[in-house]
Amino acid sequence: MEQSNGPIQQPLRAASADPGFIPGLTGAASPFKDAVPEVVSEVKDAVPEAAPEAVSEVKDAVPEAEGADPRPAAGGGPSFEAADRRGRIVADAEGVRLSYDEEACEFRWDELAAVESEKGRFGKRFTVTVHTPDRRWYPIEIVAPDRGRIVTWESELDEVLDAYFDETA
């Protein structure tokens, strides 16, 4: 019969085991998503027949809002993207987006306190850590296809941070 020599420890429910503990990592479902067609029909009923062009404008705007990409188109500014088989880092005019497997988080530039990058000493690992003003940090590690790619990624990330990150905030 085998006995445990160490103390009995209960498993922890923390951010390392449950990503739901990190605020902002997963977004809540919007209760207004299905209400858009109802609002359009209510507006159409409330508008008198004297303004049919206003009704058509509202009706035309709703499908665009539902099918459009919520992110604005890139204005030609610098952008950075690094990915491997599990993780992805994207930094552009909108902010910084990190994703690892099915989990993802998104930070606007005004939500960031610092962004730091680090390359592994011997391997092909590139780590980006996003720091928020409330003293939380979110690291992500990407495995590069070769060591030369890490140098390229660092220079591209520095260019994006210089263009968009406001250190005076």
Side-chain angles (χ1 to χ4, degrees):
M1 181 163 136
E2 293 183 31
Q3 294 183 356
S4 173
N5 293 335
I8 298 173
Q9 295 179 351
Q10 298 294 325
L12 294 176
R13 286 201 52 208
S16 62
D18 184 8
F21 272 71
I22 301 174
L25 188 62
T26 56
S30 174
F32 303 109
K33 185 177 179 182
D34 298 329
V36 173
E38 295 171 6
V39 171
V40 170
S41 65
E42 289 175 8
V43 168
K44 186 177 178 181
D45 294 340
V47 174
E49 292 298 320
E53 59 273 349
V55 173
S56 65
E57 288 177 15
V58 171
K59 199 182 240 184
D60 292 339
V62 171
E64 285 180 19
E66 289 176 353
D69 187 9
R71 301 182 187 133
S79 65
F80 167 75
E81 184 171 348
D84 64 1
R85 62 185 176 86
R86 297 185 73 185
R88 174 177 302 274
I89 305 165
V90 178
D92 55 15
E94 303 164 22
V96 178
R97 292 178 297 284
L98 309 175
S99 61
Y100 192 77
D101 291 336
E102 291 87 33
E103 302 299 325
C105 57
E106 197 168 319
F107 303 96
R108 295 184 319 267
W109 290 110
D110 60 343
E111 295 177 324
L112 299 177
V115 177
E116 65 178 327
S117 64
E118 179 182 355
K119 61 182 176 181
R121 185 171 177 186
F122 298 111
K124 300 184 288 183
R125 299 189 184 277
F126 180 65
T127 305
V128 173
T129 306
V130 173
H131 296 269
T132 60
D134 58 350
R135 296 186 179 177
R136 293 181 184 259
W137 63 92
Y138 304 91
I140 186 167
E141 191 172 81
I142 302 292
V143 179
D146 55 36
R147 291 173 124 184
R149 185 68 57 96
I150 294 176
V151 176
T152 306
W153 283 348
E154 279 189 322
S155 64
E156 289 174 1
L157 181 61
D158 285 340
E159 182 181 340
V160 171
L161 293 176
D162 289 342
Y164 300 119
F165 189 67
D166 185 19
E167 293 181 13
T168 61

